[in-house]
Amino acid sequence: MSERILFTVEGGLGRITLNRPDRMNAFDDRMAHAWAEITVEATTRADVRAILLEAEGRNFCAGGDVMSMAAGATGTDITELAGVINSGIRALAESSLPVAVAAQGTTAGGGLGILLTGDYAVIGENSRIGSLYANIGLTPDLSVSAQLAKAVGERRALQLVLRDRMLSAQEALEWGLVAEVVVPDEVRSRAEEVARFWLAGAAQAYGQAKRLVRDSSARSFVDQLAEEARSIGASLDTPDAQARVAAFAAASAQKQDRRTA
């Protein structure tokens, strides 16, 4: 079942690869269940400290497989399929692991929700991103309505879902939908570079920072302050933070000594 989604772990990096390039990495039933299984595995393994989400082929993801829908799928079928994919989206978005996304070419429909599941997206200069659900009489799914407005604001989200519009790479960057735009051949390497930057540093702290930001809308202001206070205290008690704080203090003391000498 897993051939439609590839998964490897190397040096703390969990690499999840959408692997249905002949269908623009659109999700059918087999791919949906592989996605749900692998994302849960990736976010629960002790040897994974950061995740890179990428795709084979010229395009990132076209969402659900419309050809499969046209072959006799019912509304109940699609609702159940979306629920399966959503379990994987939740696994990534709710995890305490930072997720980099390499999204080359076209990202459309539910593929936009898959992109938004990541925390730091890199796309190519020739990339295009859109909603396009209404073009075939459907409504947003796979977290698009849940995450798009949080990423770009409600008015811009409405501009995208209420028009037959594909954003250019530059527009996606200006809207804050993605973090970086690079030449097409460097999308995957740059996203991996970002993920390995996390691994080379305090990956656990980056992951907890992601969690705090992601979860903030579900808490009151007072509760968020309390969670921040709890989290920074828990972080300080980790061996990694203890070593980094001590090194920072030592370096600061040396600088102060040089200034006063």
Side-chain angles (χ1 to χ4, degrees):
M1 183 178 292
S2 63
E3 74 275 5
R4 277 170 160 70
I5 306 284
L6 307 178
F7 178 54
T8 60
V9 180
E10 184 269 319
L13 178 64
R15 186 188 302 269
I16 300 173
T17 308
L18 309 183
N19 190 38
R20 203 177 177 222
D22 58 319
R23 297 294 306 151
M24 293 179 65
N25 296 305
F27 282 77
D28 63 359
D29 184 75
R30 288 175 59 196
M31 186 168 173
H33 283 87
W35 163 262
E37 178 182 309
I38 286 173
T39 50
V40 170
E41 179 183 356
T43 54
T44 54
R45 283 180 53 148
D47 58 343
V48 175
R49 295 183 291 125
I51 291 175
L52 172 62
L53 176 58
E54 60 183 18
E56 290 294 342
R58 298 174 57 187
N59 302 291
F60 179 63
C61 183
D65 189 339
V66 178
M67 297 301 290
S68 295
M69 297 180 197
T74 67
T76 299
D77 294 334
I78 299 307
T79 295
E80 291 177 354
L81 189 66
V84 172
I85 301 170
N86 286 345
S87 67
I89 290 172
R90 289 189 59 186
L92 291 178
E94 295 176 358
S95 75
S96 296
L97 296 172
V99 180
V101 180
Q104 73 279 9
T106 297
T107 299
L112 175 55
I114 301 299
L115 182 149
L116 289 167
T117 299
D119 308 305
Y120 195 105
V122 180
I123 64 173
E125 294 170 338
N126 62 346
S127 294
R128 300 195 309 153
I129 299 175
S131 168
L132 307 185
Y133 284 96
N135 290 20
I136 53 174
L138 300 179
T139 56
D141 69 341
L142 307 190
S143 81
V144 171
S145 68
Q147 297 200 84
L148 182 59
K150 291 171 65 176
V152 303
E154 183 178 280
R155 305 309 293 181
R156 278 183 162 170
L158 288 170
Q159 290 177 43
L160 200 57
V161 301
L162 296 182
R163 289 185 58 193
D164 180 10
R165 178 176 183 179
M166 294 291 285
L167 296 179
S168 68
Q170 189 58 39
E171 287 173 321
L173 181 65
E174 291 171 355
W175 281 29
L177 190 58
V178 302
E180 294 187 32
V181 175
V182 300
V183 298
D185 290 345
E186 295 179 3
V187 173
R188 294 174 77 168
S189 61
R190 175 55 187 155
E192 180 171 345
E193 184 179 6
V194 170
R196 293 199 180 280
F197 165 79
W198 296 329
L199 291 172
Q204 183 178 21
Y206 286 121
Q208 290 298 327
K210 165 253 182 84
R211 180 189 62 81
L212 284 169
V213 173
R214 285 271 190 179
D215 294 351
S216 63
S217 61
R219 300 190 186 93
S220 69
F221 181 65
V222 171
D223 287 344
Q224 182 67 7
L225 293 182
E227 179 58 19
E228 286 182 348
R230 186 207 64 78
S231 182
I232 196 171
S235 296
L236 182 59
D237 285 339
T238 64
D240 184 52
Q242 291 283 340
R244 290 175 182 275
V245 169
F248 181 87
S252 296
Q254 288 178 356
K255 289 179 182 178
Q256 185 62 34
D257 290 342
R258 287 196 293 269
R259 291 195 193 100
T260 58

